Amino acid sequence: MFKLGFHLWKSKIFSNILLTVLIALSLFMAHFCVGIVNDRLSLFDTVRNFDKERTFYYMCNTLDNIERAAFDEEEKTGVHTQIPTFEEYMSQITDGNLPDISYMYSGTAFATEDVSEEYGGGVIYIAIDNDISHKLNIGTLSDGQWFTDAPHKDGYVNAVVLEGKYHTGDTFTVALNNGNSETFDTMNILVTGVLPDDSHMLAPDTSGTSLGLNDIFPKTHSSIENGLYSVIYFSYEDEAVKSHKDNLTMSYSCFLTLDSYAKNNQTVQNLKKFGWLLSFDEIYQATYTYIYEQISRIFPLLLGVFMMTVVCLVCVMTLNSTDYMKTYSIYYLCGMNLADMKKILFSYSLIIMLSSGILFTLLFTLATFNKNFSEILIINLYNLYVIFGIVVLLIAVMVFVPYLMLAKYSPKQALTEN
Amino acid sequence: MIKLSAVNKTYNSKKPNAFQALHNVSLTIEDGELTAIIGRSGAGKSTLLHIMGCIDTFEEGTYLIDNENVSGLSDKKLSAIRNKKIGIVMQDFALIETYSVLQNVMTPLYFSKIKSKQAKEMAMKAIRAVGMEEYLHTPIKNLSGGQKQRIAIARAIVNNPSVILADEPTGALDSKTSTEIIALFQTLNQLGKTIVIITHDLSVAEKCNRQIEISDGRIIHDSNSPII
Ligand SMILES: Nc1ncnc2c1ncn2[C@@H]1O[C@H](COP(=O)(O)OP(=O)(O)OP(=O)(O)O)[C@@H](O)[C@H]1O
Ligand SMILES: [Mg+2]
């Protein structure tokens, strides 16, 4: 019977190939959409783990705890003996003082123009996502200027001060030169925090828009999930610094539970200076808004693709079935029974699903070569569920459309009615 | 042996457009007979043939094939009868236009689960019997009406059925071709097949051993039993 199913498939090969492409594309799109939705939904896992009993959470733009700086023991006892405890660090912030952040920037910072000349070459590293991925020459600020008196330690600058011009959430542009190239790229820099002495904490602005709570959200979530994550660090090209590359990464945004700190107004004021002070509900709401916004953008696409596939499938199957009806009636005349017919139908669907599956795998493999796709395309349980569901549904449609048609109009009728 | 007793067939029964196409049809056809069924258009000839070929059902009466009552048979058994016992040549040929001659003739053999090598041999034999061996791989749509009719006959005989039912096998053919087709049926009959040919062409009917005439769903004349 498989042979007859194959004959059936072959006799309308173009419409069947169209069907195959359609199914493969919809599987791909579904997989893609589920990947995105799933990616966003995972943010909720973080929030779900928050302690609802706590009154306030503080989302700040600095290191969440000292251990995470991951300095070697050796390093801690050497250069970095001044590392404050988390409590000390927080009390510095809540007092409204400049916290000692030198340990964060140890050996790394934005260089001032002067210093860059002094040390020749002026190479900085910008590390993003735990990877030192960019080696860049310092260019010029399009706006403002490098702080000339930035405090430095062992020849390295601790922070950059932008004349008090910027507030948390502001962006500005830096021209950066990539290696030996003569051309300068521009890079948007976010001011992720302004410290009381007017030094600014900076991060590359990936969103391209001004910083809002929702922009920092996914990063913050990720940083909690992955440990140290969204990292920026700048340094001169220096053997000593290079050898510490991995240790020097740091997080600039995190959640802190702060019920003990959020008691008096002055503390709250000070906290707000460096970040966002939020209640659990606010965090939950912000997460919800963020995810909802993201998913509501994807969901219609997913639904649209799915509906389109089903509608197209029903149309093509109906058209095919009408054409195939004559063949079925002839088969009936030649001695086909109902069980045979089911087998033929099933073989036909199987050929289509198999070829769609192969095409889908091909598309999938091709797409994973593209870096932008590859992260979203990771197969996990959700994707498998959804793809499995879709395949089952499509098979159901493919088998039931002909069945419905046969119920209304049998091969026998096709044979005996003129 | 084919035996119908008091068969009534109503199309669209229980609907306002119900139409009784056969009234109390009783008919016995012995093995090896060459029978013609004649009658005007709309008389119920095709209806009768469909019932005899087990591709249509009826409400009242009994139908025996080799003493087996067809009415109560399952779909599986009925399809086996269509597959092995009866070869049917339909008025419109009922061939798959895009498939080749060989594929069409082999169709019944798929359903009797015959191995493809043997099936091919059987199909070749049937195609040779109708003189179409030159066209094995030609798609049906490229054949003339007479050629299509031959292929339809080849398919009807491929599985060696004892009974062949043909609905207007000469209806669309010129007189020379139709003589050839009838000669083919005569040869098959001499080989022992029971053949029933539906026709409204009297010259075709004359070449058969027995003539049955129906009108308005009733048998009005049977050359075997002239007085009805
Ligand atoms: N599927 C059907 N539904 C309703 N009525 C039908 C159907 N098939 C046939 N009839 C009616 O039954 C009667 C007999 O039809 P049938 O096809 O048996 O005639 P026929 O003798 O074969 O005619 P022809 O020589 O034109 O082929 C006709 O009046 C026809 O209108
Ligand atoms: Mg007819």
Side-chain angles (χ1 to χ4, degrees):
Chain A
M1 293 307 112
F2 183 81
K3 208 164 183 177
L4 293 182
F6 178 71
H7 285 172
L8 220 58
W9 180 82
K10 217 175 81 182
S11 71
K12 286 186 71 74
I13 191 156
F14 287 114
S15 92
N16 286 325
I17 285 177
L18 189 84
L19 207 64
T20 301
V21 172
L22 194 80
I23 294 172
L25 276 179
S26 89
L27 283 180
F28 184 76
M29 291 291 279
H31 180 66
F32 186 70
C33 292
V34 171
I36 296 173
V37 170
N38 195 36
D39 195 43
R40 299 297 186 275
L41 278 179
S42 69
L43 295 185
F44 250 130
D45 294 340
T46 314
V47 173
R48 229 182 281 134
N49 293 331
F50 282 177
D51 186 354
K52 283 192 183 99
E53 301 304 309
R54 304 252 179 169
T55 331
F56 287 104
Y57 290 86
Y58 182 54
M59 190 164 80
C60 72
N61 300 312
T62 51
L63 206 62
D64 59 346
N65 68 50
I66 292 131
E67 273 69 44
R68 285 195 174 185
F71 294 117
D72 293 342
E73 281 307 309
E74 181 195 331
E75 295 293 327
K76 273 187 189 168
T77 51
V79 189
H80 308 289
T81 43
Q82 309 304 332
I83 294 175
T85 64
F86 175 65
E87 300 291 317
E88 283 166 354
Y89 169 64
M90 283 317 297
S91 65
Q92 282 172 333
I93 293 183
T94 50
D95 289 347
N97 295 326
L98 167 68
D100 177 11
I101 54 166
S102 59
Y103 63 93
M104 295 184 203
Y105 288 97
S106 80
T108 73
F110 263 127
T112 68
E113 220 161 2
D114 295 340
V115 178
S116 88
E117 269 156 28
E118 191 182 322
Y119 285 86
V123 177
I124 59 171
Y125 286 99
I126 296 177
I128 298 162
D129 296 353
N130 259 354
D131 247 340
I132 296 173
S133 45
H134 302 285
K135 179 189 168 192
L136 300 157
N137 292 317
I138 300 168
T140 47
L141 286 172
S142 66
D143 198 3
Q145 59 187 139
W146 298 111
F147 181 53
T148 44
D149 302 328
H152 48 282
K153 193 179 184 178
D154 302 335
Y156 300 114
V157 184
N158 285 335
V160 66
V161 178
L162 298 166
E163 298 181 326
K165 215 172 157 178
Y166 294 101
H167 307 283
T168 303
D170 286 349
T171 58
F172 62 92
T173 315
V174 187
L176 296 165
N177 176 276
N178 204 336
N180 302 322
S181 160
E182 287 299 305
T183 55
F184 280 80
D185 290 326
T186 55
M187 182 174 197
N188 285 337
I189 302 289
L190 269 181
V191 179
T192 57
V194 179
L195 300 175
D197 72 341
D198 268 355
S199 53
H200 292 56
M201 303 178 74
L202 306 170
D205 177 17
T206 46
S207 68
T209 55
S210 64
L211 183 74
L213 188 56
N214 284 346
D215 295 314
I216 209 161
F217 238 83
K219 274 189 186 139
T220 309
H221 280 289
S222 299
S223 67
I224 288 169
E225 275 174 17
N226 305 333
L228 296 175
Y229 164 77
S230 300
V231 170
I232 177 165
Y233 99 88
F234 303 89
S235 91
Y236 284 104
E237 191 168 53
D238 179 284
E239 286 309 314
V241 173
K242 264 199 253 170
S243 64
H244 293 150
K245 269 193 293 205
D246 299 328
N247 298 334
L248 295 172
T249 56
M250 66 195 71
S251 169
Y252 65 87
S253 62
C254 60
F255 283 114
L256 301 168
T257 55
L258 274 185
D259 41 352
S260 57
Y261 291 100
K263 292 217 168 93
N264 72 64
N265 271 346
Q266 190 50 47
T267 309
V268 170
Q269 287 295 310
N270 289 334
L271 283 169
K272 280 182 176 165
K273 228 168 174 174
F274 309 119
W276 289 270
L277 190 63
L278 304 161
S279 69
F280 176 81
D281 284 342
E282 280 171 315
I283 283 189
Y284 195 86
Q285 195 54 46
T287 312
Y288 181 80
T289 312
Y290 176 75
I291 292 171
Y292 182 80
E293 204 178 81
Q294 297 277 309
I295 289 178
S296 60
R297 255 183 251 161
I298 299 156
F299 193 70
L301 185 70
L302 181 66
L303 199 74
V305 167
F306 189 65
M307 290 307 290
M308 212 179 71
T309 311
V310 170
V311 167
C312 286
L313 197 65
V314 169
C315 285
V316 177
M317 284 309 288
T318 310
L319 282 176
N320 273 1
S321 302
T322 321
D323 284 343
Y324 286 152
M325 186 53 79
K326 185 152 192 260
T327 308
Y328 286 132
S329 76
I330 291 164
Y331 286 167
Y332 181 81
L333 178 76
C334 294
M336 173 185 73
N337 59 40
L338 256 157
D340 289 335
M341 186 160 160
K342 280 180 201 165
K343 284 180 208 156
I344 295 174
L345 257 171
F346 184 75
S347 313
Y348 167 73
S349 309
L350 196 74
I351 292 170
I352 294 211
M353 288 322 292
L354 276 180
S355 47
S356 305
I358 291 167
L359 193 65
F360 167 67
T361 316
L362 216 74
L363 274 176
F364 183 83
T365 318
L366 280 179
T368 43
F369 284 132
N370 183 327
K371 266 208 163 160
N372 293 337
F373 280 129
S374 54
E375 277 195 11
I376 298 165
L377 288 176
I378 292 166
I379 292 210
N380 60 29
L381 222 56
Y382 287 109
N383 295 52
L384 286 182
Y385 284 153
V386 167
I387 289 195
F388 182 73
I390 287 178
V391 167
V392 166
L393 205 117
L394 293 186
I395 288 183
V397 168
M398 290 187 58
V399 173
F400 272 104
V401 168
Y403 261 110
L404 280 181
M405 299 213 31
L406 291 173
K408 286 201 97 173
Y409 191 68
S410 67
K412 189 183 90 182
Q413 277 170 298
L415 212 53
T416 55
E417 277 173 16
N418 297 322
Chain B
M1 188 191 66
I2 285 173
K3 188 168 188 207
L4 293 117
S5 332
V7 167
N8 283 308
K9 164 75 184 172
T10 306
Y11 285 113
N12 309 316
S13 57
K14 290 172 197 149
K15 280 187 198 159
N17 61 342
F19 178 84
Q20 188 168 0
L22 294 180
H23 298 264
N24 269 319
V25 172
S26 297
L27 174 65
T28 306
I29 296 173
E30 298 293 340
D31 291 343
E33 271 192 81
L34 174 59
T35 307
I37 295 176
I38 53 173
R40 257 185 255 126
S41 186
K45 307 183 294 292
S46 295
T47 306
L48 182 60
L49 182 120
H50 293 158
I51 288 173
M52 290 198 289
C54 298
I55 55 177
D56 210 348
T57 51
F58 52 91
E59 293 76 36
E60 285 168 57
T62 51
Y63 174 29
L64 307 179
I65 300 177
D66 296 337
N67 291 319
E68 189 174 21
N69 194 341
V70 162
S71 311
L73 292 183
S74 65
D75 166 65
K76 214 167 179 172
K77 288 216 167 114
L78 279 177
S79 54
I81 291 176
R82 285 197 303 275
N83 185 243
K84 296 197 180 74
K85 273 202 175 159
I86 301 174
I88 305 166
V89 180
M90 297 289 280
Q91 200 163 356
D92 61 352
F93 313 128
L95 296 168
I96 304 170
E97 292 279 317
T98 51
Y99 291 11
S100 71
V101 165
L102 189 63
Q103 272 179 319
N104 267 284
V105 175
M106 276 172 79
T107 309
L109 305 177
Y110 288 116
F111 299 106
S112 26
K113 316 267 189 300
I114 288 171
K115 293 252 155 53
S116 76
K117 196 170 166 237
Q118 199 198 340
K120 213 165 179 176
E121 277 165 21
M122 289 168 78
M124 297 285 279
K125 198 175 149 209
I127 293 166
R128 239 177 272 127
V130 297
M132 289 292 290
E133 58 270 36
E134 284 168 44
Y135 298 89
L136 279 188
H137 301 292
T138 314
I140 297 300
K141 59 175 188 266
N142 295 353
L143 299 179
S144 72
Q147 288 171 327
K148 284 182 189 174
Q149 194 61 270
R150 284 168 190 273
I151 300 306
I153 295 167
R155 190 186 57 194
I157 62 174
V158 73
N159 219 356
N160 285 318
S162 51
V163 179
I164 294 163
L165 308 173
D167 196 349
E168 303 272 11
T170 60
L173 309 179
D174 60 81
S175 60
K176 185 173 164 281
T177 324
S178 61
T179 314
E180 286 168 16
I181 294 286
I182 295 304
L184 189 59
F185 280 115
Q186 284 171 324
T187 319
L188 289 170
N189 179 240
Q190 274 148 28
L191 292 171
K193 310 255 181 231
T194 310
I195 295 177
V196 179
I197 298 173
I198 286 179
T199 183
H200 52 241
D201 185 344
L202 287 178
S203 66
V204 169
E206 273 163 17
K207 289 177 182 143
C208 298
N209 310 333
R210 178 183 178 186
Q211 293 83 25
I212 296 167
E213 186 175 357
I214 59 175
S215 175
D216 295 331
R218 291 177 179 85
I219 294 183
I220 55 163
H221 176 79
D222 185 344
S223 62
N224 273 15
S225 45
I227 310 136
I228 289 184

